[in-house]
Amino acid sequence: MTTERLTTELGDILRAGEIIRDGGLVAFPTETVYGLGANALDAEAVRSVYRAKGRPSDNPMIVHIADLRGLYPLVRGGKDGVPEAALKAAGRIWPGPLTMIFQKSDLVPYATTGGLETVAVRMPSNETARRLIAAADRPVAAPSANLSGKPSPTTAEDVLEDMDGRIEAVIMGEQCEVGIESTVLDLTGEVPTILRPGVITAEVLAEVLGCEVVYYQALFEKPEETADPEDGVAHTEFRPKSPGMKYKHYSPKARVILIEGTDEDFNKKAKVAGIAAIRRGLKPAVIDYGEDERKAAHDLFADLRELDRQGYDIIYIRTLEESGLGFSVMNRMLKSAGYDVVK
């Protein structure tokens, strides 16, 4: 398969929309990371996303819409089935990096929801993304446009590293503004619950909704087992309601180790670890974002991919304080490191 390189000009956006309507796959920029888009209402098209990514089919996808009117057909009960809390959040945050989970309508195939009765929906703020959705005239299911388990792509070049020859087209847009995936908020229970943290934090959502917003408890725990789809999916009863909950994620080829500590303490630990790595014949790299959580969010995936390109064998990363946006970035760091932390 030859993967088309498309621009953000109108003619190419219309071409991308046509590919999606015809059941093909198009990678496109959003404000968070690049997505791999398919017609969310076409079960076979969605299954082709799983095949292209090497992604387990019980991992649900996020459905992207261009405007609020696109939400109602996806939700059980239509407009009346959308909780008041969701309308509040949409009014303040959409378009933006927030995904909300609803009870799904019969219009949404189970291939899109990973077999669940719920559907995850978001309205991206990236103009190219919304123009593509409008051109497709379909809601667009789009996980991150990378091979399953690898760091999410934040540039079109990152996408082509993984997807060239595997999908129909890539829109060669700009580097993503945020750098980590959207916050996923579950609104199907009694208390609004964040299943995947992002730049929209619990504190922000609590202020918007005027009620308590909690993080899913498992986010604070090290998983007992991480099933790796490359080695075969473990058979468990757990069915994730959000992407990023079950399988190995965000991992470069290099081994990643997190190191806790203040400036002086971290530098000392990283130096000792680096010398030990060199003695073992390994090429080490160090990443230190200090206390700059936004830089860490924006740069983490891009840095992991770049260090892979440069042939590093082991990457030491300084941890962040696990609050606010730092908690969201640490969620990605911990998964990329397989929870390997030097305290």
Side-chain angles (χ1 to χ4, degrees):
M1 179 188 299
T2 299
T3 299
E4 296 182 46
R5 275 71 162 164
L6 303 177
T7 71
T8 58
E9 297 300 316
L10 177 59
D12 278 1
I13 295 294
L14 293 175
R15 168 63 182 150
E18 178 185 32
I19 291 171
I20 287 178
R21 283 197 305 277
D22 290 343
L25 307 184
V26 177
F28 62 98
T30 77
E31 71 276 18
T32 57
V33 299
Y34 268 72
L36 180 56
N39 178 358
L41 308 183
D42 181 341
E44 184 53 38
V46 170
R47 281 190 280 268
S48 69
V49 174
Y50 290 120
R51 289 192 292 269
K53 284 179 61 71
R55 179 189 179 100
S57 60
D58 67 341
N59 216 5
M61 294 194 186
I62 292 173
V63 179
H64 294 66
I65 57 176
D67 55 52
L68 196 59
R69 291 172 300 174
L71 171 65
Y72 305 138
L74 306 175
V75 178
R76 185 182 305 165
K79 186 174 182 180
D80 292 340
V82 177
E84 183 64 30
L87 294 176
K88 280 186 181 180
R92 290 278 298 276
I93 300 171
W94 276 4
L98 173 68
T99 294
M100 292 186 277
I101 293 180
F102 306 91
Q103 297 294 333
K104 84 172 191 70
S105 73
D106 292 339
L107 187 66
V108 184
Y110 288 110
T112 300
T113 67
L116 298 174
E117 296 294 339
T118 55
V119 60
V121 184
R122 95 173 182 99
M123 185 194 305
S125 62
N126 181 279
E127 182 180 353
T128 299
R130 292 208 312 280
R131 289 170 64 211
L132 168 63
I133 299 163
D137 195 28
R138 306 285 189 278
V140 174
S144 55
N146 55 286
L147 292 174
S148 189
K150 292 188 65 176
S152 298
T154 56
T155 67
E157 290 73 21
D158 291 344
V159 175
L160 288 168
E161 278 188 346
D162 289 2
M163 292 293 159
D164 198 8
R166 301 173 70 96
I167 62 176
E168 280 75 10
V170 177
I171 297 177
M172 306 294 289
E174 66 278 17
Q175 182 174 13
C176 299
E177 177 184 353
V178 174
I180 60 172
E181 302 85 355
S182 62
T183 302
V184 176
L185 179 66
D186 186 2
L187 293 170
T188 62
E190 292 184 5
V191 179
T193 301
I194 292 176
L195 303 183
R196 182 179 71 186
V199 293
I200 307 299
T201 63
E203 293 80 7
V204 170
L205 287 167
E207 189 276 327
V208 168
L209 300 180
C211 67
E212 180 185 24
V213 175
V214 300
Y215 286 105
Y216 183 58
Q217 185 58 40
L219 293 172
F220 299 94
E221 302 166 359
K222 178 181 177 180
E224 291 184 7
E225 177 182 357
T226 302
D228 186 343
E230 294 180 2
D231 296 331
V233 179
H235 295 283
T236 67
E237 295 299 317
F238 175 58
R239 300 189 69 81
K241 294 185 72 173
S242 164
M245 292 182 68
K246 185 172 181 181
Y247 300 105
K248 183 180 179 182
H249 272 68
Y250 320 123
S251 297
K253 295 175 186 175
R255 180 184 176 189
V256 175
I257 297 176
L258 306 186
I259 299 178
E260 293 184 353
T262 60
D263 289 352
E264 183 177 352
D265 189 37
F266 170 78
N267 290 334
K268 186 181 299 183
K269 290 176 181 175
K271 182 178 180 179
V272 170
I275 291 171
I278 291 170
R279 286 175 176 167
R280 300 200 311 272
L282 302 175
K283 184 179 178 182
V286 175
I287 297 177
D288 182 3
Y289 299 114
E291 298 178 0
D292 194 337
E293 299 167 345
R294 292 214 167 261
K295 179 175 175 58
H298 183 269
D299 291 354
L300 176 63
F301 292 149
D303 286 344
L304 292 177
R305 282 184 171 268
E306 181 57 31
L307 291 172
D308 261 355
R309 293 184 191 109
Q310 295 180 24
Y312 286 92
D313 302 300
I314 190 164
I315 303 169
Y316 300 103
I317 307 178
R318 183 179 176 182
T319 60
L320 299 170
E321 184 177 344
E322 293 191 65
S323 61
L325 179 54
F327 177 73
S328 304
V329 181
M330 278 296 297
N331 171 265
R332 275 68 171 183
M333 286 185 177
L334 285 164
K335 290 188 175 185
S336 71
Y339 293 82
D340 191 351
V341 183
V342 175
K343 296 183 181 294

